[in-house]
Amino acid sequence: MAASFLRNCWYVAGWANEITERPLVRTICNEPILFFRDQDGAVRAVSDRCPHRKAPLSSGFIEKGEITCGYHGIRFDGQGRCVHVPGGLSFGSTFAVRAFPAQQMHGFIFIWMGDPAKADAALIPDFSENEKPGWVAVRDMLPVACNYQLLADNLLDLTHVVYVHKTTLGGSQVTDTPLDVTVDGDVVRAERFMKNVDTAPIYKAARGLDSKIDRWQIFEWRAPSYIKLTLGARAAGTDLPYGTPVHRVLNALTPETDATTHYFWSTARNWALDDPKVDAIYFNMTVEAFNEDKAIAEQQQRYIASDTSGAPLIAFAFDKAGQSARRILRGKIEEEEAAPLARAG
């Protein structure tokens, strides 16, 4: 059976402030992972399965940067090494819990699920707008009961905003304007520029644009499932440069299982930095819109799972960006799966 996930890559595991004196447990790529901080405050990630009897390590407690299993009191450090078995019993060096590379950056906790020797922090996507001076962001995590690639399909074509997001992101002429898609190595980029179209509710609420507008949607996808959207609008015919962000939506789609996803998102802007009313507009309208996506995607997942016909998903021109992303990701997964066979040969 083909692998579902790319392993040698970074996934968002949580927000940095989710890991305090209490650990965080989150399933990533079908693996239950325990996140905690060592004595220096650095984030550590280990399997939540105690190697002794497979009990959850998270049933125990953290003390001095080490985790004690709540079943038999066996203790492990942040590298997964066993440092104590009650009763002074001996244990071999191979008795350990699996540790994963983890990094804190851009307000996120990232985890590397594959070969630790290949973990390179330089491969973490640039989502710096979450914390960069001159920007402010609202954010959340949405659990969605669908495969993460269905959400990537959704985000890489905003044609659906006309039908799904009528009270938030929708607007006329989106479906009439083709999406210009380019593939640069392993990066998919796409953009749509609409002139003299009806405004969208979010621009009317946040920017007071209540007449005709010029509007742009600029997408960038990077494996395995990172999508940065630069969204902007101006009063029709005015001189705000094309591509200027009214806001950026940073999306990290982390597979929990084959059929469930942790959807981390933030909406960042570089204006009205200290205006709680604008914060509330963006947070509330984004939550409303993404819950609409959640409803569609979860129904889609159920119907795909129950379809016994074997018929594939059909792609139209407006699916090109999503199809390009799927093709790149599939190639990377196949290459990763073939690597051990190549070494063995």
Side-chain angles (χ1 to χ4, degrees):
M1 183 170 131
S4 302
F5 313 118
L6 191 65
R7 298 281 176 174
N8 288 321
C9 62
W10 295 101
Y11 288 101
V12 169
W15 299 103
N17 62 3
E18 289 188 273
I19 307 174
T20 56
E21 69 278 357
R22 296 180 60 84
L24 170 71
V25 178
R26 187 154 281 151
T27 297
I28 311 289
C29 299
N30 292 324
E31 296 283 344
I33 309 293
L34 174 66
F35 299 88
F36 62 99
R37 295 189 184 275
D38 64 19
Q39 283 189 293
D40 298 322
V43 174
R44 300 294 183 179
V46 299
S47 171
D48 195 34
R49 292 188 181 93
C50 180
H52 172 222
R53 306 299 293 176
K54 309 299 183 185
L57 284 176
S58 54
S59 64
F61 59 91
I62 305 293
E63 187 175 34
K64 297 181 180 179
E66 297 174 340
I67 177 71
T68 297
C69 181
Y71 192 15
H72 294 96
I74 300 172
R75 192 164 70 246
F76 301 88
D77 66 13
Q79 287 77 43
R81 297 172 298 205
C82 181
V83 295
H84 174 72
V85 175
L89 300 180
S90 61
F91 51 89
S93 60
T94 59
F95 180 69
V97 64
R98 183 182 176 187
F100 299 82
Q103 293 279 340
Q104 180 172 322
M105 192 177 294
H106 308 323
F108 289 120
I109 300 300
F110 292 88
I111 184 171
W112 183 273
M113 297 297 295
D115 181 354
K118 296 181 178 179
D120 182 355
L123 299 176
I124 291 175
D126 180 9
F127 277 11
S128 57
E129 290 91 344
N130 276 333
E131 296 187 316
K132 187 163 57 176
W135 288 78
V136 65
V138 295
R139 66 189 195 186
D140 205 354
M141 191 276 278
L142 183 67
V144 186
C146 78
N147 183 275
Y148 68 110
Q149 292 191 64
L150 292 179
L151 289 175
D153 293 343
N154 173 283
L155 286 163
L156 285 171
D157 172 53
L158 297 188
T159 299
H160 75 275
V161 301
V162 177
Y163 308 101
V164 180
H165 306 306
K166 295 178 181 178
T167 63
T168 52
L169 312 178
S172 66
Q173 289 85 44
V174 175
T175 55
D176 299 327
T177 308
L179 192 66
D180 182 18
V181 179
T182 60
V183 178
D184 181 8
D186 292 337
V187 179
V188 178
R189 295 188 175 91
E191 58 186 69
R192 175 185 280 124
F193 185 30
M194 297 153 279
K195 291 186 176 182
N196 197 37
V197 298
D198 293 337
T199 193
I202 195 166
Y203 293 129
K204 185 175 182 178
R207 298 290 286 206
L209 295 173
D210 55 6
S211 298
K212 294 290 186 178
I213 63 171
D214 299 331
R215 181 179 184 184
W216 46 89
Q217 301 167 338
I218 301 173
F219 309 68
E220 182 179 275
W221 174 92
R222 294 177 184 270
S225 49
Y226 295 104
I227 301 167
K228 179 181 285 192
L229 303 178
T230 298
L231 303 175
R234 66 192 180 200
T238 57
D239 59 0
L240 182 71
Y242 168 72
T244 300
V246 170
H247 56 274
R248 285 199 169 115
V249 186
L250 312 175
N251 304 276
L253 310 172
T254 299
E256 179 184 34
T257 68
D258 295 274
T260 57
T261 301
H262 306 297
Y263 182 2
F264 296 91
W265 64 264
S266 60
T267 299
R269 66 183 189 276
N270 57 0
W271 53 276
L273 302 184
D274 300 309
D275 191 332
K277 292 182 180 179
V278 178
D279 290 345
I281 288 170
Y282 270 110
F283 182 80
N284 292 333
M285 295 189 83
T286 304
V287 167
E288 180 180 350
F290 287 176
N291 275 317
E292 291 166 338
D293 286 327
K294 172 184 168 78
I296 289 289
E298 290 183 342
Q299 292 169 2
Q300 186 184 9
Q301 178 68 48
R302 288 194 295 271
Y303 272 48
I304 289 172
S306 65
D307 184 2
T308 59
S309 71
L313 301 178
I314 303 300
F316 288 103
F318 49 75
D319 298 306
K320 183 178 179 181
Q323 290 297 102
S324 298
R326 279 179 175 262
R327 184 169 55 253
I328 291 168
L329 182 59
R330 183 169 59 249
K332 284 180 168 292
I333 291 173
E334 290 173 353
E335 181 181 4
E336 188 173 277
E337 287 292 292
L341 298 177
R343 287 197 296 271

